[in-house]
């Protein structure tokens, strides 16, 4: 396959790359950038493509690997947060400040008690997630599988929701009960 044929086929397939890029990035601008970077890499490495193989699959592989590499760069750059300081950010939520402060004191105290009642195995991943760590970062920091991290955060949220049910909006319990019944 000569360069002209290769470029022509890549151009035809490039239209099908954008939906897959959107699935990966969840952002239109990032998806466009990912497709452009994929096409650039494909054209620069056309000598590595073996004629007779699936060009579309080759392009998707380049795109997926590019996305993973970019994601890893971003997470490594932003994961320099010291995990011992994550509790200091907890009481900074402005949503519970009232004019006299009494209500917010009760809410904050109840939330802190509910969080304290969680076991360390659940509290630590939950608080790390709360301050902005990604699941993968939590798994790496705590050296546990990502599925365990997701499960512990889910259980912590469920326990906190149960412990703090008095603060649920009126009518929310009926919706929550219906959703939980559907899960069972």
């Amino acid at each position: 396959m000569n360069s002209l044929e290769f470029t022509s086929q890549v151009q035809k397939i490039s239209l099908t790359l954008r939906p897959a890029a959107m699935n990966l990035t969840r952002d239109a601008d990032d998806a466009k950038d990912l497709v452009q970077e994929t096409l650039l890499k494909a054209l620069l490495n056309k000598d590595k493509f073996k004629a007779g193989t699936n060009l579309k699959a080759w392009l998707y592989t380049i795109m997926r690997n590019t996305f993973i590499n970019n994601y890893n760069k971003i997470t490594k750059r932003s994961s320099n947060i010291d995990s011992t300081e994550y509790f200091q950010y907890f009481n900074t939520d402005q949503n519970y400040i009232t004019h006299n402060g009494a209500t917010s004191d009760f809410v904050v105290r109840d939330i802190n008690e509910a969080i304290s009642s969680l076991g360390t195995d659940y509290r630590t991943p939950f608080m790390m997630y709360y301050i902005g760590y990604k699941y993968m970062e939590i798994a790496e920091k705590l050296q546990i599988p990502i599925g365990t991290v997701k499960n512990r955060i889910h259980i912590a949220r469920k326990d906190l929701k149960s412990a703090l049910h008095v603060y649920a909006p009126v009518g929310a319990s009926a919706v929550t009960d219906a959703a939980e019944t559907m899960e069972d």
Side-chain angles (χ1 to χ4, degrees):
M1 174 183 309
N2 65 31
S3 289
L4 188 59
E5 290 173 342
F6 180 82
T7 305
S8 174
Q9 287 188 7
V10 167
Q11 189 175 14
K12 287 178 189 174
I13 295 172
S14 69
L15 299 174
T16 65
L17 293 176
R18 186 163 297 175
M22 275 296 292
N23 283 338
L24 290 170
T25 63
R26 306 281 187 220
D27 181 72
D29 292 331
D30 290 342
K32 287 177 187 176
D33 292 343
L34 181 59
V35 170
Q36 282 183 343
E37 194 171 346
T38 301
L39 295 176
L40 178 65
K41 286 182 178 181
L43 293 173
L44 291 174
N45 294 297
K46 64 184 166 199
D47 56 313
K48 294 180 182 174
F49 177 72
K50 294 178 182 152
T53 60
N54 189 343
L55 179 61
K56 190 173 186 178
W58 188 69
L59 290 170
Y60 277 96
T61 301
I62 292 172
M63 184 169 61
R64 187 191 70 234
N65 291 342
T66 302
F67 172 77
I68 291 169
N69 290 340
N70 289 342
Y71 177 80
N72 287 337
K73 285 179 193 173
I74 291 168
T75 56
K76 285 180 183 173
R77 212 179 307 140
S78 66
S79 65
N80 295 332
I81 300 171
D82 184 9
S83 63
T84 59
E85 298 176 7
Y86 62 81
F87 282 110
Q88 78 183 22
Y89 299 106
F90 182 67
N91 291 329
T92 61
D93 193 354
Q94 298 296 315
N95 294 331
Y96 294 110
I97 294 177
T98 60
H99 293 290
N100 66 6
T103 304
S104 67
D105 289 343
F106 288 123
V107 172
V108 169
R109 189 187 73 226
D110 288 349
I111 290 171
N112 285 332
E113 285 177 9
I115 290 172
S116 296
S117 71
L118 293 172
T120 306
D121 288 345
Y122 298 100
R123 182 176 51 241
T124 302
F126 174 79
M127 291 306 298
M128 290 175 77
Y129 182 77
Y130 176 77
I131 65 164
Y133 280 85
K134 306 257 188 270
Y135 290 128
M136 188 62 75
E137 294 172 326
I138 297 169
E140 288 173 6
K141 293 263 186 201
L142 300 179
Q143 297 179 345
I144 56 177
I146 192 167
T148 304
V149 169
K150 290 179 180 182
N151 186 43
R152 287 181 182 175
I153 291 171
H154 172 76
I155 290 170
R157 290 178 68 190
K158 199 170 186 178
D159 290 350
L160 290 173
K161 187 175 179 182
S162 174
L164 300 169
H165 71 280
V166 295
Y167 297 106
V170 177
S173 63
V175 173
T176 304
D177 293 343
E180 289 175 356
T181 303
M182 291 175 71
E183 288 178 0
D184 296 335

